[in-house]
Amino acid sequence: MLPVRPWEAPEINSWRRLPMHAVDRRPGSLSLDGEWRFQLLPAPDAPLTDSWSRLEVPGAWTMQDAGAPDLPHYTNVTMPWAHHPPASPAANPTGVHEREVDIPADWAGRRIVLQVGAAESVLIVEVDGQAVGVGKDSHLASEFDLTEVVRPGERSTVRLTVVKWSDATHIEDQDQWWHGGITRSVLLYATDPLYLADVTVRAGQDGTLRVDCQVRGSGTEGPLPEGWSISGELEEFGDLVQDAAYEAANRAEERVSDFLGEARLSATLSGVHPWSAETPVLYGLTVRLHHADGTVADTSYHRIGFRDIEIRGRDLLVNGERVYIRGVNRHDFHPLTGRTLGADEIRADLETVKRFGFNAIRTSHYPGDPALLDLADELGLYLVDEADIESHDHAHEIADDPRYLPAFVDRVSRMVLRDKNHPSVIIWSLGNESDYGANHDAAAGWLRRHDPTRPLQYEGAAKTDWSATDIASDIVCPMYASLDEIVAHARSGTQTKPLILCEYSHAMGNSNGTLADHWQAFESTPGLQGGFIWELWDHGILQRLSDGRPAGRAAAGAYANGVAAEGYRWAYGGDFGDTPNDGAFCADGLLFPDRTPKPAMYEHRELAAPVRLSWLSEEDGTLLVHNHQHFRDLSWLTAEWHLSAEDAGTITAPAALPAVPPGGSAELPPLQGLLAMLPEDGGEAWLTLRVTTAHDETWAPRGTEVCTPRIRLRERAPFAAAPCAGSVEVDGDGLLVHPLLTSPPVLSLWRAPTDNDLLGGPADHWRTLGLDTLVRKLVSVTRDGKQVSVRSAYGTRAGTVLHEQFFTPVRDGLLVEETAVLPEGVSDVARVGSVFETVSGLDLIEWYGQGPWESYPDRSAGAAVGHHRASVDALFTPYLRPQESGGRHGVRSFSLSSSGGGPGLTVRLDSPRQVSVVRHRAHDLDTAAHHDELTPRACPVVHIDAAHRGLGTASCGPDTLPPYLFGAGTYRWSWTLCRR
Ligand code: IPT
């Protein structure tokens, strides 16, 4: 009989669920994915009705039209309802999924198992009206033995009832959308009654291999089957034989249960290629269980990697090497399905992760789909595999609540039992944001005993004392600690373990400022080894504007380049009428919901560059190339020089990468020939090495750009613009009148607040000062020959900002020299610069400066100096909640022109400046909550900034660093505006 009301019982994690294991899927399994009958009940004890709809399985009902009125709901820490653990609300959407299944006739005499990939949060299984089992743990599979329930050759009705809210919801309080339903595949498989119950592989880089098999027998009463045995076969190495001594010691003496014993295959192999994220060499291992007569009863296939993980002192070592962890946090997310992803989609996502220089993923905050683990092994990614435990809102009470003790151990142990054979898993995590209590220590105890080969981490334990050694964390894994704090710890002399940030650099909106400063510190401070950026996705759900519902799979393709098509938008918290909610806090990823990389991805890619350049001798023009990898030489890469001078275009030439061992450096062949091509009067010049893949990699085709290290060859000549005949016109208000401008240059001290500005405080500060509503007052207009000088004053609540503009005619245009004086009190401003609007039709931009990606003062390592060209529309980055975007750092000059011909303009700047050209005023962006509320202006809005505040990461974590902040003082900047 089913346990009574299991959704109210934290002590019950499962009923009749089979133990978790790492045995591979059996061939001939029967997929039950597809359309099921479905009805949504208002509560688990509500009566079934006659009204069924159809629902796609796997698929959350909250994301499908058949799903009736239960829609996605987003909260971060706050539970979506007020009940305290272990209670949940009486109004509790419950999805009943039903379908018929024809049990194959040739499964007669076999053991038949049902596997439900993932269901949130309580799964109740019935077959032909008979109770079969119960499972919790929303991101791991539940398996149930159906051998005694179904009849081969006959049809059965499978009913999967999924209760959305339960005691378990309190420990699945992750920062993501709440959904309900079955989110991973459902299948049936059959085995021989004699079967492999589990396979545990340990494979070291020295070639030692140990494969432990647990054998069970089902359906057979009476004496033990005599004489079963195991054998193995390893790709490239051949047969593996059973370790006779081990078998004898472990074979069960008499049959007291279905446990028949354990057996081991062991070998020491010479010449194995070790596995690492850079060299993900896998070997196919087949394990066979034989009947006494030698026939094969069961088989399990594994792709294994030989590698060692070790903590030595305060270093985490992979195969003896201290590797940097260039990580990102990844949820299961898809804008059309909520959380359900096919293996192909996961592969595409992981390929993107690899192409942008990441080597690690934390499976925040629950174990990923089995395909994720297989792909991480194959493509080469280190995993922090995290258990499905986050009790954020009620963390303290749950951490020590004995009613939740079984759940903690169950969730951690099930993850480990499933994933232990994956070389990609280098660290286990006990979960996220759940305080620290006895329940964690219990889970850690189980884990350490069961798998002594990997370290475990838990931020909640580590934060109690970074130096403590007797806690449930072998790694100091803080979230959002400041650079100062972590550097101080590493230098304190009290550090006892590696420091790897489990979350840092919150990617909400226009963010990830100071990433380069972080990597500078990681790479120069012993004891710091990297971290995991928060996070990979913007969790924007594609929403139909017509009825406000999730668009679902039917709308595949209703987006491009990060933008939802007309009639749709990217929904965030509150957009489905969900309350309480945490708004756009779920839009905090490096990728748009449609997987389009945000500019911060390019910043990361460059900071992870495997190839770097430095001068050996600037005088002789000799360069050193450095290999920043741990295990690979440079032979998988090819390169090309791009020599670019401000006044002389770009020259490309083939580059030869010398053979440089991992961690090594080598002198590059002399570049005189190339440098001789640089014209004397070409102005500032840069040399960029465009490094691409030389061959197809598993994660990128040949020719994929990997990094673009660069070096400055020649400084810029001082800015000069000779006055000439002509005149400058200003109106009665002292505003420039120019045929190419529809709005004259005025002072700007404000930007449309980024998410970091809003949540971190500066946006409020600017509003308090009145910087968003600056009013200009003309003070004077003075003419001195051809030069016009205009003085204006802008009142703020902390005093008046004086602004002066000198306009001087120069050849083909005019020179604008500006000064702004910010009084004491006008501190920490967004920008000091000019803003103007051009005539319509100027839709193309060319610039010399950093690019092509969007860049800001504290996020500009990814953008190389060179000549760039784009459409004005392409400059804008459509962050989910509109905000300051589209900027380019280090711009020396730019031209705007019209694709339809006609006059354009060229602006040359006195120094490298922050520039943006977009079709929205700051106020347009500030007042819109989504992009469908914005109408691009015909006349581009141009900002030229003498100073621009860094982006930081203050929506969750540290603000930008002092060098990227500025306030009171005198600012001077000059530029020429000429006809093109
Ligand atoms: C931290 C969480 O672990 C993560 O799930 C996410 O919420 C992230 O922050 C912010 O987006 S917890 C935070 C309250 C420090």
Side-chain angles (χ1 to χ4, degrees), residues 414-631:
R414 278 166 40 81
M415 168 182 75
V416 173
L417 288 167
R418 189 193 71 166
D419 295 342
K420 62 198 169 201
N421 296 338
H422 289 278
S424 54
V425 177
I426 62 162
I427 298 168
W428 301 113
S429 162
L430 301 183
N432 186 56
E433 292 279 351
S434 304
D435 206 308
Y436 182 31
N439 293 342
H440 291 103
D441 280 339
W446 185 94
L447 205 166
R448 287 194 162 122
R449 172 81 187 180
H450 190 84
D451 181 17
T453 70
R454 296 173 174 94
L456 71 88
Q457 72 175 48
Y458 174 53
E459 183 270 339
K463 78 175 176 196
T464 54
D465 173 359
W466 286 6
S467 300
T469 51
D470 57 349
I471 52 165
S473 192
D474 302 322
I475 292 170
V476 197
C477 45
M479 43 173 71
Y480 311 109
S482 72
L483 257 186
D484 282 355
E485 264 179 296
I486 59 172
V487 169
H489 179 66
R491 291 185 183 152
S492 66
T494 63
Q495 188 179 0
T496 56
K497 34 186 183 294
L499 194 155
I500 301 168
L501 293 151
C502 75
E503 294 176 22
Y504 81 108
S505 198
H506 195 244
M508 184 177 185
N510 192 356
S511 185
N512 305 97
T514 73
L515 207 50
D517 307 76
H518 278 75
W519 275 97
Q520 207 281 329
F522 296 157
E523 292 186 353
S524 61
T525 314
L528 304 184
Q529 247 182 289
F532 296 81
I533 292 179
W534 185 267
E535 67 173 307
L536 191 56
W537 314 122
D538 272 353
H539 297 221
I541 290 178
L542 192 72
Q543 183 182 33
R544 272 194 307 260
L545 290 173
S546 55
D547 61 359
R549 294 188 61 96
R553 282 269 191 216
Y559 42 68
N561 303 323
V563 181
E566 210 178 314
Y568 299 90
R569 68 177 178 186
W570 299 125
Y572 50 76
D575 290 341
F576 294 106
D578 42 323
T579 43
N581 68 71
D582 286 292
F585 205 64
C586 60
D588 56 356
L590 293 165
L591 301 179
F592 283 99
D594 68 349
R595 280 51 187 163
T596 300
K598 291 187 182 173
M601 285 288 272
Y602 295 92
E603 180 83 352
H604 183 272
R605 189 180 73 178
E606 203 54 42
L607 294 172
V611 179
R612 318 228 176 144
L613 293 177
S614 67
W615 284 118
L616 177 61
S617 159
E618 198 165 346
E619 260 172 33
D620 305 345
T622 46
L623 286 171
L624 280 178
V625 62
H626 310 274
N627 177 354
H628 268 246
Q629 301 169 102
H630 301 291
F631 304 105

